[in-house]
Amino acid sequence: MRSPPETDELDTPPRILMGPGPSTIDPRVLKAMSTQALGYMDPRFLDIMDDIQELLRYTFQTNNDWTLAISGTGTAAMEASIGNLVEPGEKVLVRTTAYWGDRVAQMTRRVGGEVVPLDVSGTDPLDPDDVAEAFAANDIDVFYICHADTTTGIRQPDMSELTDIAHEHDAYTIVDCVTSLSGVELHVDDWGIDVAYGSPQKCLSSTPGATPLTVNERAREKIQSRASDTDSWYLDLDLLMEYWGDERNYHHTAPVTPYYGLREALRLVAEEGLENRWERHREVAGELKAGIERIGLEMAAPEEYWLPSLNTVQVPDGVDDTAVIEFLMDEYDVEIASGLGELDGEIWRIGCMGYSARRQNVACLLTGLEEALEAQGYEVTEPSIEA
Ligand SMILES: Cc1ncc(COP(=O)(O)O)c(C=O)c1O
């Protein structure tokens, strides 16, 4: 017999989460998540699922019937989108030079799809001319776009222009809204997006485990007329909708607590109002950006593509980026992150998402950042916070 391991009662430091996600969970969401569990077929729980669907339609700005939460993280929603929409042999246009694009390309190959690589810079927004050229040269079926890139801090402009190109070629669009949903302007229907997914743990400030996804009528028809079943039974949207829709067939035991959390997070969005929430993200992240520039640091993303929910900052020459991250964590309990992949050591990634998008957090972070830089001999141009 193995003996039981000795462990302490759960206790975590009071971190302020200002990295690329998760953000700090809203206290109202935490409270909702402490509600007692219900069975997955309990009429009250089914009402809660209906509420989630209606609130998601508002948050995505869509009338899509197929609007649900995937039991899993953003990657599960990404995999559900690719796995359902892409049939073996179909061509997916994706920027493979970008971090998330590379992940989508790997998923595409796994479901038997063919990747058409959009071999353009991974750190700029997509250029509609490059996209049009790729469509003209290839018979594309599905086009993946990342609306808000958490690795580069770039917000993709011209969304309608990009989806128009796809539709002129009868292709379908999948848009990754993980870092934009509820924090940055997004109009799923008006922008002609066929499939979109978000994240509960970024601008919604809930917990991972119940991820928003929406599919329009056109994409639903494609999925329902597939010649072969999807590879994944668990992520089969047609089966999942038998649970979320009128049939109410058992599919899997819903992770009740993350669903409670998501519902409360979405209620908070509705109470604040989407436009006010987008504006709050712009305002608070704007204060962060101004403070960063006062210190003498440079934002990595150009102003016109700036993504308020995820701010990328150039690490100045001679500064140890990891030491700064550790200083902020040790002295201020503030979490920020380094760059991912090839941007490791080049940039810091500072999130300004949901409940974390607060002026007091920005003031705390800027004070700590200034101290961390001065500790390494960096001379700030001006104090980060205006007197
Ligand atoms: C743009 C983007 N897409 C997808 C994901 C994957 O989400 P998750 O880590 O929740 O699986 C992330 C995670 O940060 C992301 O930033």
Side-chain angles (χ1 to χ4, degrees), residues 144-190:
Y144 164 83
I145 310 167
C146 186
H147 181 220
D149 192 328
T150 330
T151 49
T152 56
I154 296 262
R155 184 183 45 80
Q156 178 65 49
D158 316 319
M159 289 296 294
S160 301
E161 205 177 329
L162 295 179
T163 59
D164 280 352
I165 298 170
H167 295 152
E168 277 159 23
H169 292 82
D170 272 340
Y172 295 80
T173 50
I174 296 177
V175 178
D176 183 322
C177 306
V178 160
T179 303
S180 54
L181 185 67
S182 94
V184 177
E185 185 169 6
L186 169 70
H187 305 270
V188 165
D189 286 1
D190 288 354

mmCIF file of all heavy atoms in Angstrom, residues 144-190:
data_model
loop_
_atom_site.group_PDB
_atom_site.id
_atom_site.type_symbol
_atom_site.label_atom_id
_atom_site.label_comp_id
_atom_site.label_asym_id
_atom_site.label_seq_id
_atom_site.Cartn_x
_atom_site.Cartn_y
_atom_site.Cartn_z
ATOM 1 N N TYR A 144 -8.478 30.311 -41.939
ATOM 2 C CA TYR A 144 -8.380 30.607 -40.498
ATOM 3 C C TYR A 144 -7.763 32.000 -40.298
ATOM 4 O O TYR A 144 -6.710 32.313 -40.852
ATOM 5 C CB TYR A 144 -7.511 29.552 -39.788
ATOM 6 C CG TYR A 144 -7.049 29.985 -38.400
ATOM 7 C CD1 TYR A 144 -7.870 29.825 -37.288
ATOM 8 C CD2 TYR A 144 -5.798 30.560 -38.219
ATOM 9 C CE1 TYR A 144 -7.461 30.242 -36.033
ATOM 10 C CE2 TYR A 144 -5.377 30.979 -36.955
ATOM 11 C CZ TYR A 144 -6.211 30.815 -35.872
ATOM 12 O OH TYR A 144 -5.798 31.233 -34.629
ATOM 13 N N ILE A 145 -8.440 32.805 -39.482
ATOM 14 C CA ILE A 145 -7.945 34.154 -39.160
ATOM 15 C C ILE A 145 -7.870 34.288 -37.637
ATOM 16 O O ILE A 145 -8.820 33.921 -36.936
ATOM 17 C CB ILE A 145 -8.916 35.258 -39.672
ATOM 18 C CG1 ILE A 145 -9.280 35.049 -41.140
ATOM 19 C CG2 ILE A 145 -8.353 36.652 -39.422
ATOM 20 C CD1 ILE A 145 -10.459 35.911 -41.617
ATOM 21 N N CYS A 146 -6.771 34.828 -37.142
ATOM 22 C CA CYS A 146 -6.687 35.124 -35.710
ATOM 23 C C CYS A 146 -7.029 36.602 -35.542
ATOM 24 O O CYS A 146 -6.301 37.465 -36.036
ATOM 25 C CB CYS A 146 -5.279 34.819 -35.195
ATOM 26 S SG CYS A 146 -5.168 34.997 -33.404
ATOM 27 N N HIS A 147 -8.152 36.888 -34.880
ATOM 28 C CA HIS A 147 -8.572 38.297 -34.748
ATOM 29 C C HIS A 147 -7.657 39.064 -33.808
ATOM 30 O O HIS A 147 -7.337 40.230 -34.055
ATOM 31 C CB HIS A 147 -10.027 38.345 -34.241
ATOM 32 C CG HIS A 147 -10.562 39.731 -34.096
ATOM 33 N ND1 HIS A 147 -11.359 40.111 -33.051
ATOM 34 C CD2 HIS A 147 -10.400 40.842 -34.858
ATOM 35 C CE1 HIS A 147 -11.668 41.387 -33.182
ATOM 36 N NE2 HIS A 147 -11.116 41.857 -34.278
ATOM 37 N N ALA A 148 -7.253 38.420 -32.716
ATOM 38 C CA ALA A 148 -6.433 39.111 -31.701
ATOM 39 C C ALA A 148 -5.303 38.153 -31.326
ATOM 40 O O ALA A 148 -5.542 37.147 -30.671
ATOM 41 C CB ALA A 148 -7.291 39.436 -30.491
ATOM 42 N N ASP A 149 -4.099 38.492 -31.772
ATOM 43 C CA ASP A 149 -2.982 37.555 -31.595
ATOM 44 C C ASP A 149 -2.264 37.789 -30.262
ATOM 45 O O ASP A 149 -1.599 38.810 -30.070
ATOM 46 C CB ASP A 149 -2.008 37.698 -32.770
ATOM 47 C CG ASP A 149 -1.006 36.562 -32.778
ATOM 48 O OD1 ASP A 149 -0.647 36.067 -31.689
ATOM 49 O OD2 ASP A 149 -0.581 36.163 -33.874
ATOM 50 N N THR A 150 -2.390 36.817 -29.400
ATOM 51 C CA THR A 150 -1.836 36.922 -28.047
ATOM 52 C C THR A 150 -0.309 36.801 -28.034
ATOM 53 O O THR A 150 0.318 37.069 -27.008
ATOM 54 C CB THR A 150 -2.433 35.797 -27.164
ATOM 55 O OG1 THR A 150 -3.731 35.502 -27.637
ATOM 56 C CG2 THR A 150 -2.524 36.206 -25.716
ATOM 57 N N THR A 151 0.265 36.374 -29.146
ATOM 58 C CA THR A 151 1.734 36.283 -29.167
ATOM 59 C C THR A 151 2.365 37.600 -29.613
ATOM 60 O O THR A 151 3.462 37.930 -29.186
ATOM 61 C CB THR A 151 2.217 35.157 -30.111
ATOM 62 O OG1 THR A 151 1.547 35.294 -31.353
ATOM 63 C CG2 THR A 151 1.926 33.802 -29.529
ATOM 64 N N THR A 152 1.657 38.340 -30.487
ATOM 65 C CA THR A 152 2.259 39.554 -31.048
ATOM 66 C C THR A 152 1.597 40.844 -30.557
ATOM 67 O O THR A 152 2.149 41.927 -30.742
ATOM 68 C CB THR A 152 2.118 39.545 -32.591
ATOM 69 O OG1 THR A 152 0.713 39.411 -32.892
ATOM 70 C CG2 THR A 152 2.884 38.394 -33.205
ATOM 71 N N GLY A 153 0.403 40.732 -29.970
ATOM 72 C CA GLY A 153 -0.319 41.935 -29.546
ATOM 73 C C GLY A 153 -0.879 42.698 -30.730
ATOM 74 O O GLY A 153 -1.082 43.914 -30.671
ATOM 75 N N ILE A 154 -1.146 41.997 -31.829
ATOM 76 C CA ILE A 154 -1.683 42.626 -33.049
ATOM 77 C C ILE A 154 -3.168 42.294 -33.190
ATOM 78 O O ILE A 154 -3.571 41.140 -33.067
ATOM 79 C CB ILE A 154 -0.935 42.101 -34.303
ATOM 80 C CG1 ILE A 154 0.536 42.514 -34.265
ATOM 81 C CG2 ILE A 154 -1.641 42.502 -35.581
ATOM 82 C CD1 ILE A 154 0.903 43.727 -35.045
ATOM 83 N N ARG A 155 -3.949 43.346 -33.442
ATOM 84 C CA ARG A 155 -5.384 43.169 -33.738
ATOM 85 C C ARG A 155 -5.548 43.190 -35.256
ATOM 86 O O ARG A 155 -5.067 44.115 -35.917
ATOM 87 C CB ARG A 155 -6.174 44.319 -33.097
ATOM 88 C CG ARG A 155 -7.672 44.232 -33.234
ATOM 89 C CD ARG A 155 -8.324 45.482 -32.626
ATOM 90 N NE ARG A 155 -7.628 46.707 -33.041
ATOM 91 C CZ ARG A 155 -7.790 47.311 -34.204
ATOM 92 N NH1 ARG A 155 -8.643 46.839 -35.085
ATOM 93 N NH2 ARG A 155 -7.100 48.401 -34.507
ATOM 94 N N GLN A 156 -6.188 42.168 -35.779
ATOM 95 C CA GLN A 156 -6.366 42.095 -37.233
ATOM 96 C C GLN A 156 -7.446 43.090 -37.674
ATOM 97 O O GLN A 156 -8.601 42.942 -37.276
ATOM 98 C CB GLN A 156 -6.759 40.666 -37.627
ATOM 99 C CG GLN A 156 -7.029 40.474 -39.103
ATOM 100 C CD GLN A 156 -5.782 40.680 -39.969
ATOM 101 O OE1 GLN A 156 -4.730 40.131 -39.681
ATOM 102 N NE2 GLN A 156 -5.904 41.489 -41.005
ATOM 103 N N PRO A 157 -7.076 44.099 -38.487
ATOM 104 C CA PRO A 157 -8.127 44.990 -38.998
ATOM 105 C C PRO A 157 -8.785 44.339 -40.229
ATOM 106 O O PRO A 157 -8.491 43.187 -40.533
ATOM 107 C CB PRO A 157 -7.337 46.240 -39.384
ATOM 108 C CG PRO A 157 -5.977 45.743 -39.728
ATOM 109 C CD PRO A 157 -5.747 44.450 -38.978
ATOM 110 N N ASP A 158 -9.625 45.064 -40.915
ATOM 111 C CA ASP A 158 -10.207 44.626 -42.203
ATOM 112 C C ASP A 158 -10.858 43.250 -42.136
ATOM 113 O O ASP A 158 -10.746 42.457 -43.078
ATOM 114 C CB ASP A 158 -9.127 44.526 -43.324
ATOM 115 C CG ASP A 158 -8.175 45.683 -43.338
ATOM 116 O OD1 ASP A 158 -8.648 46.809 -43.148
ATOM 117 O OD2 ASP A 158 -6.968 45.466 -43.531
ATOM 118 N N MET A 159 -11.532 42.941 -41.055
ATOM 119 C CA MET A 159 -12.087 41.589 -40.948
ATOM 120 C C MET A 159 -13.099 41.297 -42.061
ATOM 121 O O MET A 159 -13.073 40.225 -42.654
ATOM 122 C CB MET A 159 -12.740 41.403 -39.575
ATOM 123 C CG MET A 159 -11.751 41.332 -38.434
ATOM 124 S SD MET A 159 -10.670 39.906 -38.536
ATOM 125 C CE MET A 159 -11.846 38.609 -38.299
ATOM 126 N N SER A 160 -13.984 42.276 -42.363
ATOM 127 C CA SER A 160 -15.002 42.017 -43.395
ATOM 128 C C SER A 160 -14.346 41.828 -44.756
ATOM 129 O O SER A 160 -14.796 41.004 -45.563
ATOM 130 C CB SER A 160 -15.984 43.175 -43.494
ATOM 131 O OG SER A 160 -16.610 43.358 -42.271
ATOM 132 N N GLU A 161 -13.279 42.598 -44.990
ATOM 133 C CA GLU A 161 -12.593 42.470 -46.276
ATOM 134 C C GLU A 161 -12.038 41.049 -46.430
ATOM 135 O O GLU A 161 -12.134 40.430 -47.494
ATOM 136 C CB GLU A 161 -11.447 43.490 -46.327
ATOM 137 C CG GLU A 161 -11.071 43.866 -47.733
ATOM 138 C CD GLU A 161 -9.981 44.930 -47.772
ATOM 139 O OE1 GLU A 161 -9.916 45.786 -46.851
ATOM 140 O OE2 GLU A 161 -9.186 44.888 -48.715
ATOM 141 N N LEU A 162 -11.485 40.520 -45.346
ATOM 142 C CA LEU A 162 -10.913 39.164 -45.396
ATOM 143 C C LEU A 162 -12.008 38.105 -45.582
ATOM 144 O O LEU A 162 -11.850 37.181 -46.385
ATOM 145 C CB LEU A 162 -10.112 38.861 -44.122
ATOM 146 C CG LEU A 162 -8.849 39.702 -43.900
ATOM 147 C CD1 LEU A 162 -8.179 39.311 -42.588
ATOM 148 C CD2 LEU A 162 -7.869 39.523 -45.059
ATOM 149 N N THR A 163 -13.106 38.253 -44.848
ATOM 150 C CA THR A 163 -14.166 37.232 -44.986
ATOM 151 C C THR A 163 -14.824 37.337 -46.375
ATOM 152 O O THR A 163 -15.204 36.330 -46.951
ATOM 153 C CB THR A 163 -15.234 37.344 -43.873
ATOM 154 O OG1 THR A 163 -15.820 38.638 -43.925
ATOM 155 C CG2 THR A 163 -14.670 37.098 -42.495
ATOM 156 N N ASP A 164 -14.891 38.567 -46.914
ATOM 157 C CA ASP A 164 -15.462 38.736 -48.273
ATOM 158 C C ASP A 164 -14.640 37.957 -49.302
ATOM 159 O O ASP A 164 -15.193 37.307 -50.182
ATOM 160 C CB ASP A 164 -15.463 40.217 -48.692
ATOM 161 C CG ASP A 164 -16.634 40.978 -48.063
ATOM 162 O OD1 ASP A 164 -17.499 40.310 -47.443
ATOM 163 O OD2 ASP A 164 -16.662 42.216 -48.159
ATOM 164 N N ILE A 165 -13.330 38.044 -49.162
ATOM 165 C CA ILE A 165 -12.464 37.330 -50.128
ATOM 166 C C ILE A 165 -12.780 35.836 -50.059
ATOM 167 O O ILE A 165 -12.959 35.166 -51.075
ATOM 168 C CB ILE A 165 -10.964 37.577 -49.824
ATOM 169 C CG1 ILE A 165 -10.636 39.067 -49.955
ATOM 170 C CG2 ILE A 165 -10.070 36.746 -50.750
ATOM 171 C CD1 ILE A 165 -9.249 39.453 -49.444
ATOM 172 N N ALA A 166 -12.887 35.317 -48.837
ATOM 173 C CA ALA A 166 -13.167 33.879 -48.672
ATOM 174 C C ALA A 166 -14.516 33.529 -49.303
ATOM 175 O O ALA A 166 -14.643 32.532 -50.021
ATOM 176 C CB ALA A 166 -13.154 33.516 -47.193
ATOM 177 N N HIS A 167 -15.496 34.372 -49.052
ATOM 178 C CA HIS A 167 -16.840 34.045 -49.550
ATOM 179 C C HIS A 167 -16.948 34.160 -51.069
ATOM 180 O O HIS A 167 -17.685 33.409 -51.696
ATOM 181 C CB HIS A 167 -17.880 34.922 -48.845
ATOM 182 C CG HIS A 167 -17.947 34.613 -47.375
ATOM 183 N ND1 HIS A 167 -18.326 35.532 -46.423
ATOM 184 C CD2 HIS A 167 -17.631 33.484 -46.681
ATOM 185 C CE1 HIS A 167 -18.259 34.968 -45.223
ATOM 186 N NE2 HIS A 167 -17.831 33.731 -45.363
ATOM 187 N N GLU A 168 -16.173 35.105 -51.651
ATOM 188 C CA GLU A 168 -16.160 35.195 -53.129
ATOM 189 C C GLU A 168 -15.684 33.874 -53.738
ATOM 190 O O GLU A 168 -15.969 33.565 -54.885
ATOM 191 C CB GLU A 168 -15.199 36.311 -53.582
ATOM 192 C CG GLU A 168 -15.821 37.692 -53.541
ATOM 193 C CD GLU A 168 -14.750 38.781 -53.475
ATOM 194 O OE1 GLU A 168 -13.596 38.532 -53.886
ATOM 195 O OE2 GLU A 168 -15.081 39.877 -52.970
ATOM 196 N N HIS A 169 -14.903 33.128 -52.953
ATOM 197 C CA HIS A 169 -14.384 31.833 -53.436
ATOM 198 C C HIS A 169 -15.131 30.662 -52.795
ATOM 199 O O HIS A 169 -14.613 29.544 -52.753
ATOM 200 C CB HIS A 169 -12.877 31.732 -53.157
ATOM 201 C CG HIS A 169 -12.066 32.688 -53.982
ATOM 202 N ND1 HIS A 169 -11.905 34.010 -53.640
ATOM 203 C CD2 HIS A 169 -11.418 32.511 -55.148
ATOM 204 C CE1 HIS A 169 -11.163 34.606 -54.558
ATOM 205 N NE2 HIS A 169 -10.856 33.716 -55.484
ATOM 206 N N ASP A 170 -16.305 30.962 -52.237
ATOM 207 C CA ASP A 170 -17.133 29.901 -51.629
ATOM 208 C C ASP A 170 -16.453 29.180 -50.479
ATOM 209 O O ASP A 170 -16.760 28.014 -50.203
ATOM 210 C CB ASP A 170 -17.539 28.844 -52.681
ATOM 211 C CG ASP A 170 -18.816 29.267 -53.366
ATOM 212 O OD1 ASP A 170 -19.532 30.098 -52.780
ATOM 213 O OD2 ASP A 170 -19.058 28.770 -54.481
ATOM 214 N N ALA A 171 -15.498 29.843 -49.839
ATOM 215 C CA ALA A 171 -14.790 29.214 -48.710
ATOM 216 C C ALA A 171 -15.436 29.655 -47.397
ATOM 217 O O ALA A 171 -16.281 30.560 -47.370
ATOM 218 C CB ALA A 171 -13.321 29.597 -48.749
ATOM 219 N N TYR A 172 -15.027 29.006 -46.341
ATOM 220 C CA TYR A 172 -15.577 29.280 -45.005
ATOM 221 C C TYR A 172 -14.483 29.905 -44.136
ATOM 222 O O TYR A 172 -13.307 29.598 -44.306
ATOM 223 C CB TYR A 172 -16.053 27.971 -44.355
ATOM 224 C CG TYR A 172 -17.200 27.351 -45.105
ATOM 225 C CD1 TYR A 172 -16.962 26.606 -46.266
ATOM 226 C CD2 TYR A 172 -18.514 27.528 -44.688
ATOM 227 C CE1 TYR A 172 -18.010 26.051 -46.984
ATOM 228 C CE2 TYR A 172 -19.568 26.968 -45.395
ATOM 229 C CZ TYR A 172 -19.313 26.233 -46.541
ATOM 230 O OH TYR A 172 -20.359 25.691 -47.242
ATOM 231 N N THR A 173 -14.908 30.750 -43.193
ATOM 232 C CA THR A 173 -13.913 31.383 -42.320
ATOM 233 C C THR A 173 -14.064 30.885 -40.883
ATOM 234 O O THR A 173 -15.176 30.747 -40.365
ATOM 235 C CB THR A 173 -14.093 32.917 -42.311
ATOM 236 O OG1 THR A 173 -15.465 33.207 -42.048
ATOM 237 C CG2 THR A 173 -13.689 33.533 -43.627
ATOM 238 N N ILE A 174 -12.924 30.628 -40.266
ATOM 239 C CA ILE A 174 -12.890 30.325 -38.827
ATOM 240 C C ILE A 174 -12.105 31.475 -38.200
ATOM 241 O O ILE A 174 -10.974 31.750 -38.615
ATOM 242 C CB ILE A 174 -12.142 29.007 -38.540
ATOM 243 C CG1 ILE A 174 -12.875 27.820 -39.166
ATOM 244 C CG2 ILE A 174 -11.958 28.806 -37.041
ATOM 245 C CD1 ILE A 174 -12.164 26.476 -38.998
ATOM 246 N N VAL A 175 -12.699 32.142 -37.225
ATOM 247 C CA VAL A 175 -11.995 33.271 -36.606
ATOM 248 C C VAL A 175 -11.745 32.990 -35.127
ATOM 249 O O VAL A 175 -12.672 32.680 -34.367
ATOM 250 C CB VAL A 175 -12.771 34.593 -36.815
ATOM 251 C CG1 VAL A 175 -12.059 35.738 -36.117
ATOM 252 C CG2 VAL A 175 -12.896 34.897 -38.302
ATOM 253 N N ASP A 176 -10.487 33.097 -34.747
ATOM 254 C CA ASP A 176 -10.056 32.916 -33.364
ATOM 255 C C ASP A 176 -10.257 34.254 -32.639
ATOM 256 O O ASP A 176 -9.572 35.238 -32.931
ATOM 257 C CB ASP A 176 -8.580 32.507 -33.377
ATOM 258 C CG ASP A 176 -8.031 32.206 -31.999
ATOM 259 O OD1 ASP A 176 -8.410 32.926 -31.046
ATOM 260 O OD2 ASP A 176 -7.209 31.291 -31.870
ATOM 261 N N CYS A 177 -11.226 34.255 -31.721
ATOM 262 C CA CYS A 177 -11.546 35.483 -30.982
ATOM 263 C C CYS A 177 -11.188 35.301 -29.503
ATOM 264 O O CYS A 177 -11.773 35.968 -28.633
ATOM 265 C CB CYS A 177 -13.025 35.818 -31.110
ATOM 266 S SG CYS A 177 -13.604 35.917 -32.797
ATOM 267 N N VAL A 178 -10.257 34.398 -29.241
ATOM 268 C CA VAL A 178 -9.899 34.052 -27.866
ATOM 269 C C VAL A 178 -9.539 35.299 -27.050
ATOM 270 O O VAL A 178 -9.986 35.469 -25.913
ATOM 271 C CB VAL A 178 -8.742 33.008 -27.877
ATOM 272 C CG1 VAL A 178 -8.006 32.958 -26.562
ATOM 273 C CG2 VAL A 178 -9.297 31.630 -28.220
ATOM 274 N N THR A 179 -8.760 36.195 -27.635
ATOM 275 C CA THR A 179 -8.290 37.349 -26.871
ATOM 276 C C THR A 179 -9.076 38.617 -27.187
ATOM 277 O O THR A 179 -8.784 39.684 -26.670
ATOM 278 C CB THR A 179 -6.761 37.505 -27.101
ATOM 279 O OG1 THR A 179 -6.149 36.259 -26.714
ATOM 280 C CG2 THR A 179 -6.134 38.597 -26.274
ATOM 281 N N SER A 180 -10.107 38.489 -28.033
ATOM 282 C CA SER A 180 -10.903 39.692 -28.309
ATOM 283 C C SER A 180 -12.302 39.626 -27.700
ATOM 284 O O SER A 180 -12.850 40.675 -27.329
ATOM 285 C CB SER A 180 -11.016 39.928 -29.823
ATOM 286 O OG SER A 180 -11.512 38.798 -30.496
ATOM 287 N N LEU A 181 -12.875 38.435 -27.578
ATOM 288 C CA LEU A 181 -14.279 38.341 -27.170
ATOM 289 C C LEU A 181 -14.562 39.117 -25.889
ATOM 290 O O LEU A 181 -13.997 38.815 -24.839
ATOM 291 C CB LEU A 181 -14.682 36.861 -26.993
ATOM 292 C CG LEU A 181 -16.162 36.621 -26.683
ATOM 293 C CD1 LEU A 181 -17.049 37.001 -27.848
ATOM 294 C CD2 LEU A 181 -16.405 35.172 -26.275
ATOM 295 N N SER A 182 -15.404 40.113 -25.996
ATOM 296 C CA SER A 182 -15.893 41.017 -24.944
ATOM 297 C C SER A 182 -14.905 42.105 -24.538
ATOM 298 O O SER A 182 -15.253 43.002 -23.771
ATOM 299 C CB SER A 182 -16.385 40.249 -23.694
ATOM 300 O OG SER A 182 -15.372 40.118 -22.729
ATOM 301 N N GLY A 183 -13.674 42.077 -25.098
ATOM 302 C CA GLY A 183 -12.702 43.119 -24.737
ATOM 303 C C GLY A 183 -12.398 44.056 -25.886
ATOM 304 O O GLY A 183 -11.931 45.179 -25.686
ATOM 305 N N VAL A 184 -12.641 43.582 -27.095
ATOM 306 C CA VAL A 184 -12.301 44.339 -28.302
ATOM 307 C C VAL A 184 -13.483 44.211 -29.256
ATOM 308 O O VAL A 184 -14.125 43.160 -29.311
ATOM 309 C CB VAL A 184 -11.025 43.732 -28.960
ATOM 310 C CG1 VAL A 184 -10.682 44.432 -30.252
ATOM 311 C CG2 VAL A 184 -9.836 43.806 -28.003
ATOM 312 N N GLU A 185 -13.733 45.275 -30.018
ATOM 313 C CA GLU A 185 -14.888 45.276 -30.921
ATOM 314 C C GLU A 185 -14.926 44.011 -31.799
ATOM 315 O O GLU A 185 -13.925 43.639 -32.408
ATOM 316 C CB GLU A 185 -14.832 46.519 -31.815
ATOM 317 C CG GLU A 185 -16.051 46.642 -32.683
ATOM 318 C CD GLU A 185 -16.147 47.987 -33.386
ATOM 319 O OE1 GLU A 185 -15.195 48.793 -33.278
ATOM 320 O OE2 GLU A 185 -17.170 48.213 -34.052
ATOM 321 N N LEU A 186 -16.083 43.387 -31.835
ATOM 322 C CA LEU A 186 -16.259 42.152 -32.609
ATOM 323 C C LEU A 186 -17.728 42.034 -32.998
ATOM 324 O O LEU A 186 -18.610 42.174 -32.149
ATOM 325 C CB LEU A 186 -15.847 40.942 -31.741
ATOM 326 C CG LEU A 186 -16.204 39.553 -32.279
ATOM 327 C CD1 LEU A 186 -15.363 39.206 -33.501
ATOM 328 C CD2 LEU A 186 -15.992 38.483 -31.201
ATOM 329 N N HIS A 187 -17.985 41.790 -34.286
ATOM 330 C CA HIS A 187 -19.361 41.630 -34.781
ATOM 331 C C HIS A 187 -19.393 40.397 -35.664
ATOM 332 O O HIS A 187 -19.112 40.485 -36.863
ATOM 333 C CB HIS A 187 -19.776 42.847 -35.621
ATOM 334 C CG HIS A 187 -19.619 44.159 -34.918
ATOM 335 N ND1 HIS A 187 -20.614 44.735 -34.170
ATOM 336 C CD2 HIS A 187 -18.570 45.011 -34.848
ATOM 337 C CE1 HIS A 187 -20.193 45.886 -33.669
ATOM 338 N NE2 HIS A 187 -18.947 46.075 -34.062
ATOM 339 N N VAL A 188 -19.706 39.264 -35.098
ATOM 340 C CA VAL A 188 -19.628 38.004 -35.844
ATOM 341 C C VAL A 188 -20.520 38.029 -37.088
ATOM 342 O O VAL A 188 -20.070 37.701 -38.188
ATOM 343 C CB VAL A 188 -19.943 36.806 -34.913
ATOM 344 C CG1 VAL A 188 -20.220 35.545 -35.716
ATOM 345 C CG2 VAL A 188 -18.772 36.567 -33.971
ATOM 346 N N ASP A 189 -21.778 38.442 -36.936
ATOM 347 C CA ASP A 189 -22.678 38.413 -38.103
ATOM 348 C C ASP A 189 -22.312 39.500 -39.118
ATOM 349 O O ASP A 189 -22.181 39.229 -40.304
ATOM 350 C CB ASP A 189 -24.141 38.583 -37.659
ATOM 351 C CG ASP A 189 -24.673 37.304 -37.006
ATOM 352 O OD1 ASP A 189 -23.900 36.332 -36.886
ATOM 353 O OD2 ASP A 189 -25.854 37.281 -36.597
ATOM 354 N N ASP A 190 -22.146 40.723 -38.639
ATOM 355 C CA ASP A 190 -21.872 41.820 -39.581
ATOM 356 C C ASP A 190 -20.554 41.618 -40.316
ATOM 357 O O ASP A 190 -20.384 42.120 -41.425
ATOM 358 C CB ASP A 190 -21.840 43.170 -38.846
ATOM 359 C CG ASP A 190 -23.235 43.594 -38.419
ATOM 360 O OD1 ASP A 190 -24.194 42.901 -38.806
ATOM 361 O OD2 ASP A 190 -23.366 44.596 -37.685
#
